Amino acid sequence: MTTAFIPGFLLSLGLILAIGAQNAFVLRQGLRQEYVFAICLTCAVSDAILIAAGVAGFGLAVDTLPWLEPAMRYGGALFLFVYAARSLRSAFRTQHDSLSPSTKQTAGLAATLATCLAFTWLNPHVYLDTVVLLGSISSQYEGAKTAFALGAMSASFVFFFTLGYGARLLRPFFANPKAWRVLDGCVGVAMLAIGFKLVL
């Protein structure tokens, strides 16, 4: 079992370590300590569903539906552009009252989870990494695909919960509103870059 579990864990961890839109969102929620458990669980469970679909052979369905890839690509890009605009607008605000723990206005759980799900399910790279790539590599572990999938799923749970709850260690640095403005600016630029990459 370990001969398939460990490669699945390491490969999945390597794929999700790169800073992307979803990871930036989890980091931000962790810094603000807003719905951290729900966000981390949503990301990890979503990954687990996609990994299971890939190992089960759903990647073949993606290849047979030529309209699916561009639809996901342009839909994801549009979402990223909208979120980038919001982040950049927040970065250039003169006041950041919402960053004070005592006065900040927290978005509702439903709205936060909807944003999280959009970052996950509207990102074509997620499908390429989990469904297509992990799904195709799992074929090398015939008879041990379940162990490979469990390893990949475990990596998602470990990564997202570590990122979400580990972010609180950076809270002293982000006590300064200017640090939040820098973070918002970096997130906005990253979203724009990823969005343009999807389109181009």
Side-chain angles (χ1 to χ4, degrees):
M1 177 177 176
T2 55
T3 57
F5 182 93
I6 294 176
F9 182 93
L10 294 177
L11 180 60
S12 178
L13 186 62
L15 291 173
I16 60 179
L17 273 177
I19 295 299
Q22 184 188 45
N23 295 352
F25 181 74
V26 174
L27 175 63
R28 182 177 179 83
Q29 292 301 120
L31 288 168
R32 298 174 71 93
Q33 295 186 350
E34 294 176 0
Y35 311 121
V36 179
F37 180 82
I39 292 299
C40 294
L41 184 63
T42 299
C43 291
V45 170
S46 295
D47 267 11
I49 293 173
L50 291 168
I51 291 168
V55 173
F58 185 72
L60 297 175
V62 176
D63 293 334
T64 60
L65 298 174
W67 56 267
L68 187 58
E69 190 275 334
M72 291 190 303
R73 181 153 50 95
Y74 290 113
L78 178 61
F79 173 76
L80 289 173
F81 288 145
V82 172
Y83 196 87
R86 291 180 56 189
S87 295
L88 291 173
R89 182 180 64 181
S90 178
F92 287 103
R93 276 187 196 163
T94 56
Q95 293 184 349
H96 280 256
D97 296 336
S98 61
L99 299 179
S100 172
S102 60
T103 60
K104 67 181 180 183
Q105 295 180 349
T106 303
L109 176 60
T112 304
L113 288 179
T115 303
C116 180
L117 289 170
F119 274 126
T120 302
W121 293 90
L122 292 180
N123 182 1
H125 292 297
V126 171
Y127 293 90
L128 293 175
D129 289 346
T130 57
V131 178
V132 178
L133 183 58
L134 289 176
S136 62
I137 293 177
S138 69
S139 63
Q140 301 176 17
Y141 297 91
E142 197 62 42
K145 284 186 176 182
T146 300
F148 180 87
L150 289 175
M153 294 174 187
S154 298
S156 290
F157 278 87
V158 169
F159 174 79
F160 285 117
F161 277 92
T162 300
L163 179 63
Y165 284 99
R168 68 180 61 191
L169 298 176
L170 298 174
R171 280 185 64 84
F173 175 75
F174 283 95
N176 185 344
K178 291 182 179 179
W180 280 97
R181 295 179 64 181
V182 171
L183 177 64
D184 282 334
C186 291
V187 169
V189 171
M191 302 298 174
L192 283 177
I194 297 171
F196 280 119
K197 183 178 179 181
L198 289 177
V199 173
L200 301 177

